[in-house]
Amino acid sequence: MTGNSNGNGASYQKEGNGNGSYEPIGNSSPSGGSKKWLIAAVLVAVGVAGLFFTHKTPGAATDAAVAKAALPTSKSGKLKLFDSTGRFLLEDYDAKSTFASFLPSVAGYFGKPVWSFYVNRGQAIATFGTLSKDFPILEFNPANKAYQLTPFIGFRTFVRGTRVGASTGLSTSFQVEPFAPAGSRNLEDENDDPDKPKRIMYVGTNEVEVQEIDGVNGLTTNVKYFTLPEEDFAALVRRTTFANTGTAAVELEILDGLAKIEPSGGKLDWGLKQMGRTLEGWMGVYHADDTLTKPFFKMSTETSDTAKVVIEQHGHYCLSFIESADETATLLPIVFDKDKVFGKSTSLQQPAGLHASSVGEILDNPQYGDAKTGSSFAAIRKITLKPGENFTVASVYGRADHIDEVSTIADLVTSPSWVADKFERARGLIDDLTKGVETTTVNPLFDGAVKQMFLDNSLRGGMPTVMGDVDSDKTYDESSEVKIFHAFSRIHGDLERDYNSFSITPQYFSQGPGNYRDVAQNRRNDVTFLPRLGSFNIKMFLSYIQADGYEPMTVEAVVYVIDDPDKAMEIAEQVTTDANSADILGKVLNGGPFRPGQLFALCEQLNINRTLDNDEFIQPIIAEAEDRAMAVFGQGYWADHWDYYIDLIETYLAIFPDKEEELMFENELRYFFSTATVRPRSEKYVLDYTYDGTSKHVIQLESTYFDTEKAAEQEAFRDQNTGRLQIEASWQRDREGKPFKSTPIAKLFLLGAIKFAMRDAWGMGVEYEGGRPGWLDSMNGLPGMVGSGMPETYELYLLLQYVKSVVDKYDRHVVVPVELAKMVATVEEALATLDAAGYEDPEELPDDVPEPLFEYWDVVASARENYRNDVEYYFSGNTTSYSAKKVSKMVGKWLEEIELGMERAKYFGTIGYGDDGTSGIPAAFFSYDVTEWELNGNRNDVGLPLVNAKAMTLKRFPLFLEGPVRYMKTILDDPDALVDVYERVLDSGLRDRELKMYFLSATLKGQTYDMGRQIAFAPGWLENQSIWMHMSYKYYLQMIRGKLYEQFFSEMKGGGILPFMDPTVYGRPLMECSSFIASSAFPDPGVHGQGFLARLSGSTAEFMDIWKHMFIGKTPFFLNDDGELEMQLVPALPSWLFEDEGSDHDPYFDEDGNHIVSFQLFAEILVTYHNPGGKNIYGEPPKSYTVTMTDGSVTDVDGPTIGTELALKIRRLTGVESIDAYF
């Protein structure tokens, strides 16, 4: 029930006239809220509080209010970890260890998002804005500052109340600030005031809420935030609910809103940090009408000190009102002058201005908004709540292109039930997007974690979305009209990862760029959840392979082009309503690349009259357009970007095993063209002093350089109208100017050949010669140490195994660039020379590289460098065709050489503090000291001499978890070997015995700083011997892939995997991954086990793969002995997901009394497992199936597999409603 007296939200204005009608502020007489009133009220409050509570048990009022709140409690009486809507609960959130997180910035396909980050301090929201942190509405601050500042500069609520006692007739007055730091409990002090309010945070997938239960004052305050969904303007919506939990009526006056709000005025983040006071000179508060209800915060002009002056038209607004279910709400006045609230309290700790006056007096006197940062407090003069009544103040914060838009937005948001309906849609929107993994077990916390992991995985890699021909069942590979667009993607810049600059476009189909390795990993299972995606990801990522064997750093969303002007005009006429609009849109479509959101934005900007239905407008355009991949070089060449291709291919083949030959041989892909070139060794082996300055050594520096001649080549594709480089500039051509293309199998062979030629001098690790390390990017010094990585070797082994299997299976030629064939011929000659030399490894391997191996390395590295020189700008266009037998023979020999290198790596092992090298655990990294060299007469850019290496010696490192993780991928078919590795790791320095988790590395004590930044951190922090969740989850994934079920589920339930960690230790919602957990190696034991760096971690990619293995199985579709497609579900589910004594939730049963769990397959087919007795189901298929179609027909399948006809229908989602599997 609301506290509105007349149903229109205007009762806050009720004065002496008693009719509740709105009185213009200019005509309002001063209310009774004077300084004298305030002093008297405080005295009365103190006196009556003494009368009422002198004889009450301390904390009784709060305990009673908490009990009355009916919070979700477990059978033991404790507060549950989740509520009925699946939100995670954090009790006493502001009294516990800090954490930061964010709302997902998902406003729907036809919505415009804001970004927002929150912390468990104050009223949660620490910063929000549009596009990037350069455009804040509330200033972006890194986490360490946000924890301090949020309770003061963020959202604040000030309440002054007067209560009439029902029995005594006495009135009591109080003045409180809900969620203020002063009211936070001190959980470490047993003598802490028990009458402090109870505070709880609720974290949902698309919302965050904080609640304060104040038993002393009989007031419960809830503040809820969500991203406005599916509107053509971006906004953060805040709902503040005040409930009278006392036994008598209470009269309130309230200020509720932002203590500081930034204006619109170009990129502000740098200026706010570096010249904030000067910046205020441009600031002003404007108004959309002559009331105080529609303030518009903007700068007069942008602040750039250039000849071109940009007048600022955009602005930030705040619209507040009391929600009504059946009446149009009346806007509340806004206090925009923070000095009127805080007075001279520049710390903003106390509302000194409000203490000296009433809300009415503030409203009735002038406010000033020039040359200072404003505030945005919704003001309520007076409202009365009876016992049990409540009301909600809704505030909509956003950015408008012009002040004239504010009134239009206001008319919409104040319509009856608008906020409540939008909130429900915000919840439903995420439910719709995550229905692909809807899971129902006996553990709702686990089910919620699956949903959250899928969402976060999609935010990091993008949500795959079918566009164009959306209504058919055809895949991306079957129809040119089926397109795939990844929406809602974002780079993981946040309060804790303050070094990353995220970008979230405030447009329809919002998206932002992502790091290559992040996107490649997190899209691994796209096809598992959306079969219509087909081979889209494989084709895109393989096209990014460059001629030199590297890839760009940043992946952007695909763009679309329509090159044919007649087709562009034809489509434009179809989706517009007049000839002029068709003409304009036709030119736009034919004028260059576009994304869906950009088209909608251009329609607004150019006044194009389009069809009203959004789908009817955009889908025909996308269906006719061609899609083009987009990427940006960035900086340096990371050694691991190609590591994830086999994962993508294996996942695809688990759904489309019958399409492998077509994928590998019937497609042609381009080569990405970056402006960076890898230097040959003679230009990057630098002679310099050691760090102590006592001697000289050779290090590898400046491995890549900006190639001006490549940039000149791209200039041919600069658009003369826009000044921008066209898409074609990013793809390598032959000498005739045509894009050079190869089949996927040829590109994989090229990649494998180049990486094989990049093996280090001992033939073990793949060299980090492109300037950047692999997955563990904190080893940034390793390339300088002439380092190499075994993780890449293990992935190379898998890559070449796959290439060999494909050519052996299909016996088809592989056509490669002639330049590559020349390099391969040199590699083959070098291998023959090495064989002819008769070299064999001695029983005890020396650290010094034997001369035959060094000579082989030198020849092959030179061949690689010569090849790169040949294709630096163009391919010749000539090719060489290898027979399948030739490829198989060459690759077979390469695999033997790699196996030999892997054995050497086992011999050399690892060396570290407490590690004598006998652990038997695969090493991750090596480096080489150049012990002999000769000056080559050249110098680098800073004048240091360059050398040619003549001899090398090996250096080893401590244990890193990545070593065994990647190695385990090569032995998945050897259970004994897997168990051996698992037990060795369990008993090694990689095991955190206190936390029962796994370190990213063993202790790095004694290592030198030149290995990278991770040694600069304290042990247990960031990459220095912490629990890096992504690599730990990779380890757990290999366990379940290798069928170590008992070990895997013991680790999972034992707290190694969310949501089974201790919430009081983890310190953040158990449904959300963090990047790392402070390990027991950290000096402060109070931090052990706490998670840091919120979400958007690669952990989610591994978790979703784990989920797939648990609920679906590794290969749900396969070819039988006759080459026909069949389907088989092979779950791996522990008994405690069917029934768990430790769960508050009752198990689910079918009508026959069998335990059941269920999940959604392909987001549309309900799959239910029927498990008599609720036993473990570890890697076994069902005994039978019942498949129910949407027309009601039922097919019973006796046996563990589903035949071809039905399997094809399931894969195509053709009329299949549910599958019941019986064990």
Side-chain angles (χ1 to χ4, degrees):
M1 179 177 179
T2 68
N4 298 345
S5 63
N6 61 359
N8 66 359
S11 66
Y12 72 92
Q13 300 269 35
K14 186 168 61 179
E15 298 291 349
N17 59 23
N19 62 14
S21 62
Y22 175 80
E23 293 187 9
I25 292 170
N27 296 332
S28 297
S29 60
S31 67
S34 64
K35 297 180 182 179
K36 293 180 179 179
W37 180 93
L38 174 65
I39 296 170
V42 173
L43 290 173
V44 171
V46 173
V48 175
L51 288 173
F52 280 178
F53 298 109
T54 300
H55 302 292
K56 285 198 172 185
T57 304
T62 299
D63 292 343
V66 171
K68 191 175 181 179
L71 300 173
T73 55
S74 64
K75 295 175 182 178
S76 65
K78 295 182 178 180
L79 197 64
K80 281 187 175 182
L81 294 177
F82 52 89
D83 67 8
S84 59
T85 64
R87 298 184 302 175
F88 193 85
L89 271 62
L90 293 99
E91 186 177 5
D92 299 318
Y93 70 91
D94 61 336
K96 295 181 177 177
S97 55
T98 54
F99 77 88
S101 191
F102 54 88
L103 295 180
S105 300
V106 173
Y109 293 110
F110 300 112
K112 299 178 180 181
V114 296
W115 52 263
S116 54
F117 298 92
Y118 63 86
V119 297
N120 61 329
R121 290 295 183 268
Q123 295 192 30
I125 293 294
T127 177
F128 67 103
T130 58
L131 185 60
S132 71
K133 59 186 176 184
D134 283 323
F135 301 91
I137 298 176
L138 173 59
E139 183 182 356
F140 181 96
N141 283 292
N144 60 324
K145 293 182 179 179
Y147 299 141
Q148 299 172 344
L149 295 174
T150 298
F152 302 106
I153 70 170
F155 286 100
R156 309 280 292 273
T157 305
F158 302 108
V159 180
R160 181 178 291 148
T162 303
R163 189 181 298 278
V164 178
S167 59
T168 65
L170 297 175
S171 65
T172 62
S173 296
F174 58 89
Q175 184 161 309
V176 296
E177 181 187 354
F179 311 103
S184 298
R185 297 185 173 195
N186 186 347
L187 303 181
E188 298 177 359
D189 182 3
E190 60 182 18
N191 296 317
D192 189 40
D193 183 0
D195 286 320
K196 286 182 177 178
K198 188 71 172 176
R199 293 175 180 171
I200 302 166
M201 175 177 277
Y202 303 79
V203 177
T205 51
N206 201 19
E207 66 189 270
V208 63
E209 180 176 0
V210 290
Q211 179 183 42
E212 176 177 293
I213 304 171
D214 183 351
V216 172
N217 293 306
L219 183 69
T220 292
T221 308
N222 288 60
V223 180
K224 183 183 300 179
Y225 307 91
F226 65 94
T227 304
L228 176 63
E230 299 175 339
E231 288 290 350
D232 62 358
F233 58 95
L236 178 72
V237 182
R238 167 184 164 92
R239 306 173 79 189
T240 308
T241 300
F242 302 92
N244 180 7
T245 61
T247 57
V250 64
E251 187 178 82
L252 306 173
E253 55 178 298
I254 297 169
L255 290 180
D256 180 70
L258 266 181
K260 290 182 67 177
I261 182 171
E262 304 301 339
S264 177
K267 294 184 177 182
L268 292 185
D269 189 61
W270 181 90
L272 290 172
K273 303 292 190 296
Q274 304 298 326
M275 45 177 277
R277 180 61 186 124
T278 301
L279 211 63
E280 287 185 315
W282 279 265
M283 296 182 184
V285 182
Y286 304 80
H287 299 274
D289 61 16
D290 58 359
T291 71
L292 295 178
T293 62
K294 302 173 185 176
F296 198 61
F297 303 86
K298 73 181 189 71
M299 305 177 78
S300 53
T301 68
E302 292 190 6
T303 59
S304 56
D305 189 17
T306 63
K308 183 178 181 180
V309 178
V310 179
I311 298 174
E312 183 59 51
Q313 298 287 344
H314 307 86
H316 298 150
Y317 61 83
C318 168
L319 301 170
S320 298
F321 49 91
I322 296 176
E323 289 188 34
S324 174
D326 48 19
E327 298 284 344
T328 298
T330 300
L331 290 175
L332 295 168
I334 302 297
V335 177
F336 59 84
D337 184 348
K338 71 176 186 300
D339 293 342
K340 301 302 179 183
V341 180
F342 297 102
K344 303 304 181 184
S345 178
T346 53
S347 69
L348 307 188
Q349 185 171 1
Q350 296 294 332
L354 180 61
H355 283 172
S357 62
S358 70
V359 171
E361 286 177 323
I362 292 175
L363 293 175
D364 293 339
N365 284 284
Q367 299 183 54
Y368 306 100
D370 294 318
K372 61 183 175 181
T373 304
S375 64
S376 56
F377 285 101
I380 296 180
R381 292 173 181 266
K382 190 180 299 182
I383 189 169
T384 299
L385 291 178
K386 296 177 182 178
E389 284 188 335
N390 68 79
F391 73 98
T392 299
V393 176
S395 297
V396 180
Y397 287 85
R399 182 175 185 265
D401 292 336
H402 193 276
I403 195 171
D404 293 343
E405 297 177 4
V406 177
S407 292
T408 302
I409 295 172
D411 291 341
L412 176 65
V413 302
T414 54
S415 58
S417 195
W418 185 86
V419 171
D421 292 343
K422 284 297 179 180
F423 172 67
E424 291 304 319
R425 181 55 192 144
R427 281 183 169 176
L429 173 63
I430 299 300
D431 290 340
D432 293 344
L433 294 174
T434 59
K435 65 181 180 181
V437 292
E438 184 178 326
T439 305
T440 305
T441 70
V442 74
N443 191 324
L445 192 60
F446 173 80
D447 302 342
V450 172
K451 179 179 180 180
Q452 185 69 57
M453 295 289 183
F454 179 81
L455 175 63
D456 287 351
N457 183 74
S458 299
L459 295 181
R460 195 174 192 239
M463 182 74 70
T465 304
V466 175
M467 297 194 69
D469 181 8
V470 296
D471 295 323
S472 76
D473 62 359
K474 293 181 180 179
T475 69
Y476 176 79
D477 302 306
E478 294 171 334
S479 171
S480 62
E481 294 188 352
V482 175
K483 305 298 193 304
I484 303 297
F485 187 80
H486 283 80
F488 316 131
S489 57
R490 58 189 290 178
I491 198 171
H492 52 36
D494 54 63
L495 303 186
E496 292 182 276
R497 299 182 187 88
D498 42 23
Y499 51 86
N500 268 336
S501 297
F502 63 88
S503 176
I504 303 169
T505 55
Q507 296 178 343
Y508 290 179
F509 291 89
S510 175
Q511 45 69 44
N515 288 335
Y516 195 94
R517 73 156 63 94
D518 300 348
V519 178
Q521 291 178 94
N522 286 70
R523 291 188 186 179
R524 182 189 311 158
N525 274 295
D526 279 2
V527 71
T528 302
F529 305 114
L530 184 66
R532 290 191 66 189
L533 177 134
S535 64
F536 170 84
N537 282 330
I538 296 172
K539 292 175 181 176
M540 186 185 77
F541 281 105
L542 293 191
S543 71
Y544 286 138
I545 298 173
Q546 300 173 177
D548 59 8
Y550 284 109
E551 296 88 357
M553 178 180 177
T554 302
V555 175
E556 298 189 345
V558 297
V559 296
Y560 299 97
V561 296
I562 300 178
D563 291 328
D564 185 343
D566 293 334
K567 180 182 289 187
M569 183 56 65
E570 179 183 346
I571 301 168
E573 291 173 348
Q574 178 183 340
V575 298
T576 55
T577 59
D578 61 76
N580 183 58
S581 294
D583 181 64
I584 297 172
L585 180 59
K587 292 175 180 177
V588 168
L589 296 179
N590 189 234
F594 57 85
R595 295 189 176 103
Q598 292 172 329
L599 278 189
F600 283 102
L602 286 171
C603 284
E604 292 179 15
Q605 295 168 14
L606 302 176
N607 296 316
I608 295 172
N609 297 315
R610 61 178 179 84
T611 53
L612 293 179
D613 185 276
N614 290 328
D615 273 313
E616 290 180 3
F617 168 72
I618 195 64
Q619 302 302 352
I621 295 174
I622 301 302
E624 294 297 330
E626 295 181 28
D627 57 353
R628 300 287 174 82
M630 291 286 287
V632 178
F633 160 66
Q635 51 182 340
Y637 285 128
W638 301 90
D640 68 316
H641 282 181
W642 60 278
D643 289 4
Y644 314 109
Y645 299 153
I646 294 301
D647 292 337
L648 287 169
I649 292 169
E650 288 180 346
T651 305
Y652 169 80
L653 294 178
I655 305 297
F656 294 100
D658 50 330
K659 304 294 184 181
E660 182 178 46
E661 183 177 8
E662 177 184 335
L663 169 64
M664 287 293 141
F665 292 96
E666 302 300 327
N667 292 280
E668 288 193 330
L669 306 176
R670 302 184 183 204
Y671 289 78
F672 195 76
F673 186 65
S674 289
T675 53
T677 294
V678 181
R679 299 181 190 272
R681 292 163 299 158
S682 61
E683 297 178 13
K684 61 186 175 184
Y685 277 18
V686 179
L687 185 63
D688 196 4
Y689 282 99
T690 56
Y691 290 96
D692 59 10
T694 59
S695 60
K696 290 186 176 181
H697 66 162
V698 175
I699 52 178
Q700 183 176 233
L701 298 177
E702 299 171 352
S703 295
T704 63
Y705 67 96
F706 177 75
D707 195 323
T708 55
E709 293 187 43
K710 284 185 175 180
E713 290 295 323
Q714 290 187 330
E715 282 299 315
F717 296 95
R718 189 171 297 280
D719 189 298
Q720 298 304 310
N721 294 320
T722 65
R724 296 179 178 179
L725 288 175
Q726 297 174 329
I727 298 174
E728 296 303 315
S730 295
W731 302 100
Q732 189 151 356
R733 296 165 287 158
D734 61 23
R735 293 193 175 277
E736 295 182 358
K738 298 178 181 178
F740 187 81
K741 299 179 181 180
S742 297
T743 61
I745 190 63
K747 293 205 75 173
L748 290 175
F749 175 79
L750 175 144
L751 181 66
I754 294 174
K755 300 305 176 183
F756 180 76
M758 287 170 58
R759 292 181 308 136
D760 62 26
W762 260 112
M764 298 186 296
V766 174
E767 289 185 314
Y768 295 146
E769 50 95 49
R772 298 288 184 175
W775 177 90
L776 188 55
D777 53 19
S778 61
M779 294 284 283
N780 54 289
L782 193 53
M785 301 172 73
V786 193
S788 64
M790 290 304 297
E792 285 65 45
T793 295
Y794 300 133
E795 296 294 343
L796 175 60
Y797 187 68
L798 296 172
L799 171 65
L800 291 176
Q801 279 186 322
Y802 179 73
V803 170
K804 188 175 187 304
S805 72
V806 168
V807 296
D808 287 345
K809 187 185 305 183
Y810 301 110
D811 193 24
R812 294 180 62 169
H813 281 61
V814 177
V815 180
V816 301
V818 69
E819 295 89 346
L820 179 73
K822 178 182 175 183
M823 185 201 81
V824 168
T826 303
V827 171
E828 291 294 284
E829 292 173 6
L831 284 171
T833 300
L834 183 62
D835 287 341
Y839 172 80
E840 292 184 1
D841 285 342
E843 186 174 339
E844 294 186 4
L845 300 180
D847 289 344
D848 293 336
V849 178
E851 186 175 349
L853 292 183
F854 182 87
E855 291 177 351
Y856 166 82
W857 169 82
D858 191 35
V859 169
V860 170
S862 296
R864 179 186 76 231
E865 292 164 352
N866 292 335
Y867 160 75
R868 286 177 175 162
N869 184 68
D870 291 342
V871 297
E872 185 172 354
Y873 306 111
Y874 303 98
F875 286 103
S876 67
N878 299 320
T879 60
T880 296
S881 180
Y882 291 128
S883 69
K885 290 183 178 179
K886 174 67 172 177
V887 173
S888 181
K889 182 179 179 181
M890 285 192 298
V891 173
K893 174 62 175 175
W894 297 352
L895 287 168
E896 290 176 3
E897 290 295 314
I898 293 171
E899 289 171 352
L900 182 58
M902 290 162 62
E903 287 300 316
R904 291 170 182 158
K906 287 182 183 179
Y907 175 86
F908 285 117
T910 58
I911 292 292
Y913 184 82
D915 178 6
D916 62 2
T918 61
S919 68
I921 298 172
F925 308 114
F926 298 103
S927 68
Y928 290 83
D929 277 343
V930 177
T931 54
E932 296 180 23
W933 64 84
E934 64 179 14
L935 297 173
N936 61 30
N938 297 316
R939 293 181 178 272
N940 70 359
D941 292 341
V942 296
L944 294 174
L946 298 167
V947 305
N948 297 329
K950 293 300 180 181
M952 291 178 169
T953 189
L954 182 72
K955 293 182 67 175
R956 285 160 281 185
F957 292 90
L959 284 168
F960 285 84
L961 186 59
E962 189 177 7
V965 165
R966 303 277 190 173
Y967 174 71
M968 289 170 75
K969 296 177 71 173
T970 70
I971 57 171
L972 289 176
D973 294 330
D974 189 340
D976 291 336
L978 283 169
V979 171
D980 179 68
V981 172
Y982 171 75
E983 291 180 346
R984 288 178 184 273
V985 171
L986 190 67
D987 193 41
S988 73
L990 291 173
R991 178 70 169 180
D992 188 329
R993 290 169 176 78
E994 176 186 322
L995 298 180
K996 297 182 180 178
M997 300 178 184
Y998 294 92
F999 296 120
L1000 179 62
S1001 70
T1003 177
L1004 300 181
K1005 184 177 181 179
Q1007 300 300 304
T1008 59
Y1009 283 100
D1010 53 353
M1011 68 188 290
R1013 68 175 183 270
Q1014 70 186 67
I1015 196 68
F1017 305 132
W1021 190 259
L1022 286 171
E1023 291 99 335
N1024 187 347
Q1025 204 186 351
S1026 71
I1027 311 298
W1028 205 265
M1029 292 186 72
H1030 188 185
M1031 189 51 65
S1032 293
Y1033 276 33
K1034 282 182 178 291
Y1035 182 56
Y1036 298 133
L1037 173 61
Q1038 301 318 314
M1039 291 170 62
I1040 195 170
R1041 289 184 71 200
K1043 302 179 181 179
L1044 303 185
Y1045 299 124
E1046 292 291 348
Q1047 296 91 331
F1048 170 80
F1049 287 113
S1050 175
E1051 296 277 5
M1052 179 185 235
K1053 195 70 180 293
I1057 301 177
L1058 291 172
F1060 301 104
M1061 297 178 186
D1062 185 336
T1064 60
V1065 176
Y1066 186 55
R1068 61 177 67 227
L1070 292 179
M1071 298 175 182
E1072 301 176 357
C1073 273
S1074 51
S1075 275
F1076 81 92
I1077 293 173
S1079 72
S1080 63
F1082 192 67
D1084 182 357
V1087 182
H1088 294 178
Q1090 187 175 338
F1092 295 89
L1093 308 189
R1095 300 162 62 186
L1096 299 192
S1097 159
S1099 311
T1100 59
E1102 315 308 329
F1103 185 94
M1104 295 320 304
D1105 218 346
I1106 288 170
W1107 180 90
K1108 181 185 77 172
H1109 281 78
M1110 289 177 63
F1111 285 86
I1112 300 174
K1114 182 180 180 181
T1115 52
F1117 295 92
F1118 65 97
L1119 300 180
N1120 61 23
D1121 293 340
D1122 296 324
E1124 298 171 330
L1125 183 77
E1126 292 189 351
M1127 180 183 179
Q1128 183 179 68
L1129 296 170
V1130 187
L1133 296 172
S1135 61
W1136 44 261
L1137 283 180
F1138 291 91
E1139 183 168 1
D1140 189 354
E1141 293 181 358
S1143 173
D1144 281 324
H1145 202 282
D1146 294 329
Y1148 296 97
F1149 297 96
D1150 63 16
E1151 59 186 10
D1152 296 322
N1154 299 315
H1155 289 77
I1156 58 173
V1157 300
S1158 62
F1159 68 97
Q1160 289 285 338
L1161 179 66
F1162 305 150
E1164 293 188 23
I1165 302 173
L1166 177 65
V1167 177
T1168 302
Y1169 289 138
H1170 301 255
N1171 178 15
K1175 63 182 183 298
N1176 294 330
I1177 301 177
Y1178 285 166
E1180 60 178 283
K1183 294 182 174 64
S1184 63
Y1185 303 87
T1186 296
V1187 181
T1188 302
M1189 311 302 286
T1190 53
D1191 62 5
S1193 61
V1194 175
T1195 301
D1196 292 320
V1197 178
D1198 186 19
T1201 62
I1202 296 174
T1204 303
E1205 182 179 355
L1206 199 50
L1208 286 170
K1209 289 182 178 180
I1210 292 170
R1211 190 171 72 179
R1212 282 194 179 275
L1213 303 176
T1214 306
V1216 182
E1217 183 172 302
S1218 65
I1219 301 173
D1220 289 87
Y1222 300 89
F1223 291 85

